[in-house]
Amino acid sequence: DPRWGTRYREVEQQGIDTFFVLDVSRSMLARDVRPNRLEQAKTAIADVLDVMGSDRAGLITVAGDATLTVPLTLDYGSLRLSLDDVSHRSVNRGGTMIGDGIRLAQKSFTDDIQEYKSIIVLTDGEDMGSFPTEAAADAAASGINVYTVGIGDPITGARIPTTRYGQPAFIEYEGKEVWSVMNPEELTTIANAGGGAFVPA
């Protein structure tokens, strides 16, 4: 029969809070994957969002420093919009400080529960002395698993595009073109310290 009124029922839900730490340094513009490493990493994040259920996700962009781009949210639509806007200009300083990104992610979780948290780092693995292995170990000690996703070719790599006098060119150092390769050894070490796994994309 028809019923009127309101009845409340408590429903227990369990999800995983995940921060994506996305490397937006210039080396991520290398084209050993198409169209380039950065766009491939953004596509990978979007694919994960497609299969996330009631899990909260956030985004941190990292180059010479780390920026909280999207705090933890269930609004995947706004996260996708922010992801679309991400470029190598999203962070003020050049370089690659993966450890800073992991530390900022660890700090940006919004509750004290020491379970159901993960950090996924998408990068080519070229770090500039930010101690990412130590950062991952510290995160693991607080109950956060750190996974690394390697973007790029670990053998031949690719040159890093730029512009010179308005014309397409490649970054040079001491008169020679710089070739960037994905660093699976570094990323494996970080993931092992973080209690996660390394995935070569």
Side-chain angles (χ1 to χ4, degrees):
D1 295 330
R3 296 277 195 276
W4 282 268
T6 303
R7 183 177 65 171
Y8 294 97
R9 181 164 59 97
E10 192 172 296
V11 177
E12 185 175 320
Q13 286 188 305
Q14 183 173 297
I16 297 174
D17 287 345
T18 300
F19 264 110
F20 296 100
V21 176
L22 176 59
D23 182 354
V24 296
S25 62
R26 292 193 71 90
S27 65
M28 291 292 283
L29 299 178
R31 297 182 183 133
D32 46 1
V33 293
R34 296 294 176 186
N36 61 41
R37 294 175 185 174
L38 180 56
E39 291 303 316
Q40 185 80 310
K42 288 163 64 173
T43 299
I45 293 173
D47 288 345
V48 174
L49 293 177
D50 286 340
V51 297
M52 289 180 89
S54 57
D55 300 329
R56 293 190 301 174
L59 176 66
I60 286 171
T61 49
V62 61
D65 53 21
T67 302
L68 178 59
T69 305
V70 181
L72 285 174
T73 182
L74 285 167
D75 186 352
Y76 300 154
S78 66
L79 203 158
R80 282 192 181 91
L81 285 174
S82 297
L83 194 59
D84 289 342
D85 290 338
V86 166
S87 74
H88 69 283
R89 295 184 180 90
S90 298
V91 175
N92 295 327
R93 293 173 53 203
T96 310
M97 307 295 276
I98 298 169
D100 290 357
I102 295 172
R103 281 183 283 272
L104 179 58
Q106 180 182 352
K107 214 165 56 173
S108 300
F109 285 104
T110 53
D111 57 54
D112 296 325
I113 298 171
Q114 285 201 323
E115 294 176 289
Y116 315 119
K117 293 181 173 71
S118 63
I119 297 171
I120 301 175
V121 182
L122 297 99
T123 178
D124 53 27
E126 293 186 356
D127 182 70
M128 296 185 165
S130 66
F131 305 102
T133 303
E134 290 81 352
D138 190 45
S142 66
I144 303 167
N145 295 115
V146 180
Y147 299 85
T148 55
V149 179
I151 311 289
D153 188 312
I155 300 171
T156 57
R159 296 173 292 180
I160 303 169
T162 187
T163 54
R164 193 174 296 120
Y165 308 115
Q167 298 298 316
F170 295 100
I171 290 178
E172 295 182 357
Y173 179 72
E174 294 183 348
K176 295 182 180 179
E177 290 180 344
V178 175
W179 283 76
S180 170
V181 295
M182 190 262 282
N183 188 341
E185 291 82 11
E186 174 83 357
L187 295 179
T188 300
T189 301
I190 295 168
N192 288 342
F198 163 63
V199 179

